[in-house]
Amino acid sequence: MNARDSYLIGPRHAWFAFAMTCALMLFDYIDRQVIVSLFPHLKQEWGLSDKELGALASVVSVTVALAGIPVALAADRFSRVKSIVCMALIWSLASISCMFSRNYMQLLSARAVVGLGEAGYGSVGTALIAGHFPTRMRGTVLAVFFSCASVGSVLGVVLGGVISAHWGWRAAFGVVGVPGLLLALLYLKVRDYDTVPLMAGGAAAGHGSLRGAMRLLAGVPTLFWICVAAPAQVVLVSAVWAWLPSYLNRVDGLSPEQAALRAALVVLCGAAGAVVWGAAADRAALLRPSAKLQLTALLCLVSAVVLGFAFGASRLGVVLTPQVQFGVIALGGFFMTCQAGVVAAVVMDVVHPGVRSTGASVLSLAQNLLGLAAGPFIAGWISDAWSLQTALAVMPIFGVLSACLFLVAARGYERDVARAALQG
C-alpha cells in the first residue's frame, strides 16, 4: 500500500497523535491571542499607543519566526515529540509570567519568550501529523489542525475578556497558561516517526546540517512562492484578528467584553472556513493537483472583496447597520483562512521527506515574520496615522496580492511533487 492510502503505524496511533497535537495547538493560540482582548485595559492603565499595543501581538510572531528553523531542524534530526514537549513547557510558563509584569517592557519581554517557546511548534506538529496520515487526507487533517489556531484564538479572546472583567487583566495570563503544562506531559505518549536520512539523488545532503537542509529546500520553487503567497493573506487575517475587538469597542461602542465575544465569533467562522476549504482543496486536487492552489487563489480574492466592502462601505456611500456590517465581516472571516491547511499540505507534498519539519518551519517563518507579525503592526501604524476604520479598510489589499501569488505557485506545483516523490 502506498503513502497515498496508508497510515504510518495505524489509525489509532495516528488519531491519538492528531488529537494531542491539535489540543496543544489550541492552547498555543489561546496563550498567543489572549492579549488582544486586553488591549482596552492596557491602553487605559498604561496609556499605550496602538502601535505599542500591536507590538505586543507582533513580538510573539517575530520570535517564532527567528527561532523556528533551528528548532525544526533539531526536531527533524532527533525527536519531534520531545521537541514539542519542551516547547509547550516553555510557552506555558512564559504566559503565566506575563501576569507579573509591572510595565510595558516587562510585558513585551515576557510575550517574546512566549513566542520563543512556540517557535517551531506549528511546523513540527505539521510534519508529525503529515507523517502519520495518508497523503490523500493531508489537506483535510492539516486544515483541522490549523483551524485549532482559530478556535484557540476565539477562546483566548473570550477568556481574556471574561477573566479581565471579573479579576483583572493579569489573571487572564495565569489562567490560560496552566493547561499547556499538563498537556505537555501527556504528549510524551505520542508515537514519533523514524528520522529520515537526508539523501538527495543518492548523496547525503550535509549530514543533517542546516546548510544541507537549506540546499534541499532551495531547489523547490513552489516552496518559495508559497512562502510569499501565504504571508500576504496572513497579514489580512492577523490584522482582523488583532484589531476587530478594538474596532467594535471604538466604532460600534461595545464594551470590551462584548467586543471580545463578537470578535470571537468571526474567528470561529475562520476556523470553520479553514476546514471547509481544506476539504474542498483536497477534492479539487483529485481532478488536477494544481487546482487546490487555484481554488485557494480564488478564495483569497473573495475574502479581500468581502472584507474590503465590510470596512470600506461607508467610503463608497453605502450605509450598513452595525448588524449587517458584522454579518459581512463574519462572512469575510469564513473565507479569509482558506489557505491555512492547503499551504501546509503543499509544503509536505513538495519537500524532501527528511526535512519536512524544516520545510514547514520555513513556511512558518515567512507566515510569522511577514504575516502574523506584520499585520497587527501595519494596521496599528495606519490607525495611528488616520483611523482604525481606515486601517481595516486598506488591509484587504494584501488578500488580492496573495491571490496573484498563489496562481504563480500553482504553475510549478505538480513538477515539484514528482521530484519529492522520487527523493522519498
Side-chain angles (χ1 to χ4, degrees):
M1 191 177 292
N2 60 35
R4 182 170 181 79
D5 302 307
S6 62
Y7 290 88
L8 176 69
I9 301 172
R12 185 169 63 87
H13 290 290
W15 287 109
F16 177 71
F18 175 75
M20 289 299 301
T21 309
C22 285
L24 272 179
M25 186 64 146
L26 193 73
F27 283 96
D28 178 332
Y29 272 80
I30 289 175
D31 292 356
R32 183 183 292 210
Q33 290 296 115
V34 68
I35 191 73
V36 302
S37 60
L38 309 180
F39 280 177
H41 300 283
L42 292 167
K43 190 176 186 69
Q44 181 180 19
E45 183 169 334
W46 288 345
L48 303 178
S49 69
D50 285 350
K51 186 165 62 176
E52 289 173 319
L53 291 172
L56 290 171
S58 297
V59 71
V60 176
S61 300
V62 171
T63 50
V64 166
L66 295 178
I69 291 179
V71 170
L73 180 63
D76 263 335
R77 306 302 355 121
F78 302 106
S79 169
R80 285 143 294 276
V81 168
K82 292 178 182 177
S83 297
I84 286 173
V85 170
C86 290
M87 284 185 275
L89 290 173
I90 292 171
W91 91 57
S92 298
L93 290 171
S95 182
I96 293 170
S97 75
C98 290
M99 69 186 296
F100 302 106
S101 300
R102 290 293 175 261
N103 55 55
Y104 175 75
M105 288 308 301
Q106 288 180 5
L107 181 57
L108 186 68
S109 299
R111 292 283 296 167
V113 179
V114 171
L116 184 63
E118 293 174 354
Y121 177 71
S123 53
V124 178
T126 296
L128 189 68
I129 291 173
H132 270 283
F133 282 89
T135 303
R136 60 184 168 79
M137 297 175 63
R138 282 180 184 167
T140 304
V141 294
L142 290 176
V144 175
F145 173 55
F146 284 103
S147 74
C148 290
S150 299
V151 176
S153 297
V154 167
L155 293 174
V157 172
V158 171
L159 289 171
V162 172
I163 295 170
S164 62
H166 289 84
W167 298 287
W169 63 264
R170 296 180 188 280
F173 290 114
V175 171
V176 301
V178 172
L181 299 176
L182 301 177
L183 285 171
L185 299 178
L186 288 174
Y187 203 87
L188 290 169
K189 294 185 175 294
V190 171
R191 292 281 296 274
D192 203 350
Y193 63 81
D194 293 335
T195 295
V196 180
L198 296 187
M199 304 293 290
H207 304 291
S209 68
L210 179 59
R211 179 182 297 178
M214 291 300 106
R215 186 183 301 120
L216 288 174
L217 298 176
V220 186
T222 301
L223 178 61
F224 170 79
W225 289 111
I226 289 296
C227 286
V228 291
Q233 183 68 8
V234 174
V235 167
L236 173 58
V237 174
S238 62
V240 173
W241 281 6
W243 287 109
L244 187 57
S246 295
Y247 175 87
L248 296 172
N249 173 243
R250 298 180 198 178
V251 178
D252 292 346
L254 300 181
S255 68
E257 305 87 74
Q258 292 173 321
L261 289 171
R262 285 284 189 94
L265 291 176
V266 173
V267 179
L268 195 58
C269 287
V275 177
V276 169
W277 300 126
D282 273 347
R283 291 185 65 86
L286 294 177
L287 300 176
R288 189 178 71 257
S290 61
K292 68 168 69 174
L293 288 172
Q294 294 165 345
L295 174 62
T296 302
L298 175 62
L299 294 170
C300 289
L301 183 61
V302 171
S303 72
V305 172
V306 173
L307 289 169
F309 177 73
F311 293 111
S314 61
R315 300 185 184 280
L316 300 174
V318 179
V319 179
L320 300 178
T321 65
Q323 292 77 14
V324 171
Q325 184 195 36
F326 181 75
V328 179
I329 293 171
L331 178 63
F334 181 71
F335 283 100
M336 71 180 180
T337 55
C338 58
Q339 86 297 341
V342 177
V343 296
V346 166
V347 171
M348 295 299 100
D349 292 343
V350 300
V351 302
H352 186 290
V355 289
R356 281 178 177 160
S357 292
T358 309
S361 73
V362 171
L363 174 63
S364 177
L365 184 152
Q367 291 193 113
N368 277 279
L369 197 58
L370 303 179
L372 288 171
F377 187 81
I378 292 172
W381 177 76
I382 297 173
S383 177
D384 282 338
W386 288 284
S387 70
L388 185 54
Q389 187 167 12
T390 299
L392 292 179
V394 167
M395 298 309 288
I397 291 174
F398 288 94
V400 178
L401 174 62
S402 179
C404 296
L405 293 169
F406 273 122
L407 290 177
V408 176
R411 294 166 57 184
Y413 169 65
E414 293 180 30
R415 180 183 64 248
D416 288 339
V417 170
R419 181 189 295 121
L422 291 175
Q423 293 172 336

